[in-house]
Amino acid sequence: MHASTADIQRLSDARFAKHEVWLGQRPIARLRHLGHARRHESTGTGVVMNEQTDKNLPLQGLKVIEMGQLIAGPFASKLLGEFGADVIKIEPPKVGDPLRKWRKLKDGTSLWWHVQSRNKRSVTLDLKAAEGQEIVRQLVAEADILVENFRPGTLEEWGLGWDALSKLNPRLIMLRISGYGQTGPYRDLPGFGVIGEAMGGLRHLSGYPGQPPVRVGVSIGDLLSSLYGVIGVLLALQERNRSGQGQEIDVALYESVFAMMESLVPEYDAFGYVREPAGSALPGITPSNSYLCNDGAYVLIAGNGDSIYKRLMTLMGRQDLADDPRFAHNDGRAQHAELIDAAIGEWTLQHSRDEVIEALKGARVPAGYPYTAADIVKDPHYLARQMIEQVQTFAGPLKVPGVLPKLSRTPGRIGEGGPQLGEHTDDVLAGLGLTDEQRQGLRERGII
């Protein structure tokens, strides 16, 4: 017998009747362990992650359903999974998350996939089909958190919006990340991170005056939204401990970028001042810039603290600039940024990059140089703080970024790389009560 929508609904009704518990006067579905069987691999620290390790993680016991694709939603789920949440990632049958084919591929799968989707379980499901939607309802009924980053209104079209799902599971926390948010005149417009960065103000400030705006080399708008989303989830979990109720979290890409714009709006409001791109400098904060050395390399120097500035000028042999009362504080230095930057640049051009950095270390002036991937993976500080880990993936061993933030008693972990497409579909659906024959029927009809 094949599993039809009616079959799935009957299974759902039977399971809820069997596993219903009460909170006050309101029934809620009891969380169940849906056939969860994680692989556990050694990390670069030599620590083997096992079930006992997982029990010590701060989000252990929380169930997350991820219905997002590409970056913003999946990155938020990744962070939750690193600290113990059981993340079930729903992907379209046969093709999966498009991120599987982004950037550099190995054995047909993006290497990025093993960072973005680590610690997750992959379930293939056609969300446009009624049977697929019913399976989502069953998963959500037992979940703590749902993460999605579809265009606003998409889930509502499938009968899976906040109003419907919160009635099914009043304790559900639903994180929704979109280009412009769930409300407002732009809500229906398509929006990727690049557009959020533009509308949020970042792209106007990036680059050099008179030249086209440039992008940061990573998807910073998406990633900032993910971080705000996770903050929202943790706040909602804390509040749920008091009220017993979940809530909807609305994160817009452009707003996450805009929130990083520091004094951009107050300066415009007070003075009509429109901040413009300034290359590698930081307008109004001096000195903080990149400077060329005699070996063709650049150093970045942040001498913008009052005492740090004096030490920098003394190191350079410019006691006149160190003692000049105009430059005692940042407001005075900012008015003469070109003069100060020129003096620093003249000094760095007399030395190699390594010589400049060593001298600045000795003077306790913050300095560095732009790291490449090759610099990062061999840097002793990265290694000492376990920020480069090696994990086993289905493409072989792979170095990946470590886990943040670093908790003293209950640190996060990387249990495994990204899953194969649909690797856990049978496991999860069997946990919902679907038989082998019913799952095969769903597979034949392209539902899973």
Side-chain angles (χ1 to χ4, degrees), residues 136-191:
V136 168
R137 293 185 186 96
Q138 292 185 56
L139 291 171
V140 167
E142 298 186 334
D144 295 279
I145 301 156
L146 172 64
V147 177
E148 67 100 356
N149 61 328
F150 290 105
R151 175 184 56 81
T154 300
L155 291 189
E156 281 73 12
E157 293 171 4
W158 296 337
L160 301 173
W162 167 248
D163 289 343
L165 296 184
S166 61
K167 290 178 182 177
L168 183 64
N169 180 356
R171 290 174 57 82
L172 180 68
I173 293 168
M174 188 173 185
L175 169 58
R176 315 190 76 169
I177 304 177
S178 61
Y180 301 97
Q182 302 296 313
T183 61
Y186 300 165
R187 60 156 271 171
D188 294 323
L189 296 177

Side-chain angles (χ1 to χ4, degrees), residues 190-300:
F192 269 15
V194 57
I195 308 304
E197 292 162 24
M199 185 175 174
L202 178 61
R203 289 299 182 94
H204 181 69
L205 300 180
S206 302
Y208 286 82
Q211 297 187 14
V214 299
R215 72 176 302 157
V216 177
V218 295
S219 305
I220 193 68
D222 293 283
L223 301 175
L224 286 171
S225 298
S226 301
L227 293 173
Y228 273 108
V230 170
I231 292 170
V233 166
L234 298 178
L235 292 171
L237 284 169
Q238 176 67 14
E239 194 281 333
R240 193 179 74 172
N241 288 336
R242 297 196 299 268
S243 69
Q245 299 296 302
Q247 56 185 303
E248 184 183 26
I249 302 163
D250 183 2
V251 176
L253 296 178
Y254 85 94
E255 291 171 351
S256 300
V257 174
F258 173 66
M260 301 291 107
M261 290 298 101
E262 301 173 347
S263 58
L264 191 76
V265 166
E267 289 171 356
Y268 176 75
D269 184 54
F271 305 119
Y273 173 73
V274 176
R275 184 172 165 184
E276 299 293 342
S280 61
L282 194 57
I285 301 174
T286 303
S288 181
N289 212 330
S290 61
Y291 306 91
L292 185 64
C293 300
N294 66 10
D295 56 0
Y298 283 89
V299 293
L300 287 85

Side-chain angles (χ1 to χ4, degrees), residues 7-217:
D7 292 331
I8 296 171
Q9 184 62 57
R10 281 194 293 271
L11 280 168
S12 177
D13 294 343
R15 291 170 70 248
F16 291 139
K18 181 179 179 181
H19 295 288
E20 187 175 85
V21 295
W22 288 79
L23 176 66
Q25 298 299 311
R26 306 188 67 172
I28 61 173
R30 178 182 299 160
L31 287 170
R32 292 182 64 214
H33 196 66
L34 295 178
H36 186 190
R38 281 184 177 162
R39 302 184 307 272
H40 296 283
E41 308 292 350
S42 296
T43 70
T45 64
V47 177
V48 176
M49 300 304 165
N50 52 39
E51 294 297 339
Q52 185 59 45
T53 307
D54 281 1
K55 290 179 180 178
N56 297 326
L57 294 169
L59 301 182
Q60 175 69 18
L62 291 178
K63 189 175 296 297
V64 178
I65 307 301
E66 180 197 302
M67 293 171 62
Q69 296 188 67
L70 296 175
I71 304 172
F75 189 79
S77 299
K78 176 190 85 80
L79 296 175
L80 298 172
E82 287 170 348
F83 289 90
D86 175 16
V87 180
I88 297 176
K89 179 177 179 62
I90 296 176
E91 301 186 70
K94 298 183 180 179
V95 295
D97 189 327
L99 189 78
R100 289 178 177 271
K101 299 298 181 183
W102 277 29
R103 298 193 64 81
K104 299 291 186 181
L105 309 186
K106 183 178 180 183
D107 298 335
T109 299
S110 170
L111 294 173
W112 190 359
W113 177 255
H114 296 294
V115 178
Q116 186 82 319
S117 297
R118 61 197 191 192
N119 303 320
K120 298 180 184 180
R121 297 193 284 162
S122 171
V123 172
T124 54
L125 206 55
D126 183 356
L127 296 178
K128 298 179 181 180
E131 292 165 289
Q133 295 161 8
E134 185 56 41
I135 290 172
V136 168
R137 293 185 186 96
Q138 292 185 56
L139 291 171
V140 167
E142 298 186 334
D144 295 279
I145 301 156
L146 172 64
V147 177
E148 67 100 356
N149 61 328
F150 290 105
R151 175 184 56 81
T154 300
L155 291 189
E156 281 73 12
E157 293 171 4
W158 296 337
L160 301 173
W162 167 248
D163 289 343
L165 296 184
S166 61
K167 290 178 182 177
L168 183 64
N169 180 356
R171 290 174 57 82
L172 180 68
I173 293 168
M174 188 173 185
L175 169 58
R176 315 190 76 169
I177 304 177
S178 61
Y180 301 97
Q182 302 296 313
T183 61
Y186 300 165
R187 60 156 271 171
D188 294 323
L189 296 177
F192 269 15
V194 57
I195 308 304
E197 292 162 24
M199 185 175 174
L202 178 61
R203 289 299 182 94
H204 181 69
L205 300 180
S206 302
Y208 286 82
Q211 297 187 14
V214 299
R215 72 176 302 157
V216 177

Side-chain angles (χ1 to χ4, degrees), residues 283-341:
I285 301 174
T286 303
S288 181
N289 212 330
S290 61
Y291 306 91
L292 185 64
C293 300
N294 66 10
D295 56 0
Y298 283 89
V299 293
L300 287 85
I301 300 174
N304 43 287
D306 293 346
S307 60
I308 297 173
Y309 168 78
K310 283 183 172 290
R311 294 198 298 271
L312 172 59
M313 293 299 113
T314 300
L315 172 67
M316 292 165 42
R318 294 299 304 266
Q319 203 62 42
D320 58 323
L321 297 179
D323 297 336
D324 191 322
R326 296 177 298 169
F327 307 149
H329 303 294
N330 180 71
D331 56 345
R333 293 193 299 271
Q335 295 177 34
H336 300 85
E338 290 186 8
L339 184 154
I340 294 171
D341 277 341

